Amino acid sequence: MFPLLRLYLPLALSFELMMLEGPSVQWAIGRLPEIPTNLAAWGLTMQLSLLIESPVIMLLATATALVKNTDTFLALRTFMLRLALWCTLLTAAIAFTPLLDFICLSLLGQPPPIVEASRLPLQLMLLWSGAIAWRRFHQGVLVRQGRTALVTYGTAIRLAAVILPALALVAWGKLSGAATAAVAIMVGVLAEALSASSFARAVIRTLPTAHEKGDVPLTQKAIAKFHTPLAMTTLLTLATGPLTSAAIARLPFATQTLAAAPVVFSALLLLRGWGFAVQEITVAQLKRGTMPEATLARFASIVGVLTTLGALLLSLTPLCGLYATALGVPTDLHHLIRQGVLWGALLPLIAALSSSVRGVLVARQHTGAIYKGMALGLSVQVLVLIAGIAARFPALPLASLAFTLGGIAETAFLMAARRLPSPAAEAETVLP
């Protein structure tokens, strides 16, 4: 277990440093005017940005699974660049045209002041998807080669590159809170993208140039077949953000709740991040044949239990109020934050367990099951949100409950799929 912990901790710390971005920019927003509106606008900006970038997020897992020599590296890099271009064009189409109003006002029902406050931040995030694609691809190469510590260094650089501009812009005071957050986040992600490719350069030079006997060249079609189910799972996962905002907007105290929601879910992300790191470690260990599935599953369970206990500690003690106060969140939102964290306390455990089984399925190249599980989870979540709106259930507890029940359904499906043999088409794989 200790060798696994030694590999896991750098990657987990990388996730945690990345998750600290949320509280960091929320702190900046809390020091600038119109805090509730800008908190809600930043939440909407991030939900849209994450949804647009969803096809590139799983490039880390795809690169971890597929990059084994220079040919596969070059093939996947071409795939990554094409994907990044399409995501960037979509960002431009939404941020710089009336499409933003149609999506946010007509479809999501967001209050007009929040939508208007999110326009400039989304425009400032134009290169977000491209930077994320570049970074995740090179991080996957590092993880495949066991260089997880370098991933942590890159994320530390990113966090520093977020905090410094945020401090400077707060002192300047000329931008809105949401726009300040957007500039800080963009500087950070660009810095990490550059550092990830710099760290990966030495590793790339050591990749073998020849195929192993029996290998078939990796085509763009084969990469798309492998990556698309993973991208769809992320798309379905991140679609829950706008759907949840749409539900909150249809319940009482919409503006206050939309302001508190980013604080709730960034706090839960800090705890869930420990579980997210399990997926990449599971893929890498199974691909290298260095760790049995049972050991990896036990490790994931330990991570999940400990982080869920952390969520309960935060929600049931004065820590929640201290955390919200430190971010500059108005005191009238504190009780909403506490409720949301408490109702979502099982999410860190769910994240660890689902990441573990998803890693097994990725390593087996059985990615279709991941997509189906995600679709089931999203369906459950939507049904819970619809029922909650009809029952006029409190908004943040409803959002957390919907995420939790959807996560349970997805994880149960994935666990069942793990016990089944991969489809014949995937068993006869042409992938590395």
Side-chain angles (χ1 to χ4, degrees), residues 19 37 41 68 104 151 157 196 220 229 244 270-271 283 309 315 362 399:
M19 301 308 174
T37 298
K68 63 181 295 187
C104 296
V151 177
I157 291 170
Q220 295 298 299
T244 302
L270 277 172
L271 294 163
V283 173
L309 289 175
S315 61
V362 170

Side-chain angles (χ1 to χ4, degrees), residues 228-240:
T228 298
L230 296 178
M232 289 301 297
T233 64
T234 310
L235 174 64
L236 291 173
T237 300
L238 296 176
T240 59

Side-chain angles (χ1 to χ4, degrees), residues 268-335:
L268 289 171
L269 272 175
L270 277 172
L271 294 163
R272 294 168 70 199
W274 296 97
F276 292 154
V278 169
Q279 177 172 323
E280 275 67 40
I281 287 295
T282 300
V283 173
Q285 293 303 302
L286 292 178
K287 279 289 183 180
R288 297 168 70 181
T290 54
M291 198 75 63
E293 284 185 21
T295 301
L296 294 165
R298 283 196 299 271
F299 182 79
S301 299
I302 293 170
V303 170
V305 169
L306 291 176
T307 48
T308 276
L309 289 175
L312 290 171
L313 183 67
L314 177 63
S315 61
L316 297 175
T317 70
L319 283 175
C320 189
L322 293 173
Y323 175 77
T325 300
L327 296 182
V329 177
T331 54
D332 61 333
L333 300 181
H334 287 195
H335 71 286

Side-chain angles (χ1 to χ4, degrees), residues 47-342:
Q47 286 172 3
L48 293 175
S49 297
L50 289 170
L51 188 62
I52 294 167
E53 67 148 331
S54 59
V56 309
I57 292 178
M58 292 300 283
L59 282 169
L60 195 158
T62 298
T64 301
L66 302 186
V67 175
K68 63 181 295 187
N69 53 44
T70 54
D71 288 345
T72 53
F73 169 81
L74 293 172
L76 194 56
R77 187 177 67 178
T78 298
F79 181 84
M80 175 270 295
L81 291 172
R82 291 174 177 173
L83 205 55
L85 176 61
W86 282 109
C87 291
T88 301
L89 292 174
L90 180 58
T91 302
I94 295 174
F96 292 94
T97 74
L99 190 56
L100 178 66
D101 293 322
F102 173 72
I103 292 171
C104 296
L105 294 174
S106 302
L107 297 183
L108 301 182
Q110 300 295 290
I114 293 174
V115 176
E116 191 55 39
S118 71
R119 192 180 307 277
L120 176 59
L122 190 61
Q123 292 171 352
L124 292 168
M125 300 272 283
L126 177 64
L127 299 179
W128 168 266
S129 295
I132 294 292
W134 187 264
R135 184 256 297 182
R136 298 285 283 182
F137 167 66
H138 286 92
Q139 285 180 334
V141 175
L142 292 171
V143 172
R144 171 76 182 234
Q145 300 301 318
R147 306 296 294 276
T148 54
L150 294 176
V151 177
T152 306
Y153 299 153
T155 310
I157 291 170
R158 172 175 170 170
L159 182 61
V162 167
I163 292 173
L164 293 176
L167 291 171
L169 290 171
V170 167
W172 187 45
K174 300 297 184 181
L175 287 178
S176 69
T180 294
V183 172
I185 288 291
M186 273 309 308
V187 172
V189 76
L190 288 170
E192 188 184 20
L194 291 174
S195 65
S197 58
S198 177
F199 292 149
R201 192 173 296 120
V203 173
I204 294 165
R205 284 197 294 263
T206 66
L207 292 174
T209 57
H211 290 286
E212 296 179 5
K213 186 177 180 180
D215 274 354
V216 177
L218 187 60
T219 65
Q220 295 298 299
K221 182 178 180 181
I223 297 172
K225 181 180 178 181
F226 180 88
H227 182 75
T228 298
L230 296 178
M232 289 301 297
T233 64
T234 310
L235 174 64
L236 291 173
T237 300
L238 296 176
T240 59
L243 289 173
T244 302
S245 290
I248 290 173
R250 288 161 173 77
L251 289 168
F253 310 109
T255 300
Q256 297 93 322
T257 308
L258 287 167
V263 181
V264 170
F265 292 112
S266 68
L268 289 171
L269 272 175
L270 277 172
L271 294 163
R272 294 168 70 199
W274 296 97
F276 292 154
V278 169
Q279 177 172 323
E280 275 67 40
I281 287 295
T282 300
V283 173
Q285 293 303 302
L286 292 178
K287 279 289 183 180
R288 297 168 70 181
T290 54
M291 198 75 63
E293 284 185 21
T295 301
L296 294 165
R298 283 196 299 271
F299 182 79
S301 299
I302 293 170
V303 170
V305 169
L306 291 176
T307 48
T308 276
L309 289 175
L312 290 171
L313 183 67
L314 177 63
S315 61
L316 297 175
T317 70
L319 283 175
C320 189
L322 293 173
Y323 175 77
T325 300
L327 296 182
V329 177
T331 54
D332 61 333
L333 300 181
H334 287 195
H335 71 286
L336 295 173
I337 296 169
R338 186 184 303 277
Q339 284 181 351
V341 175
L342 179 60

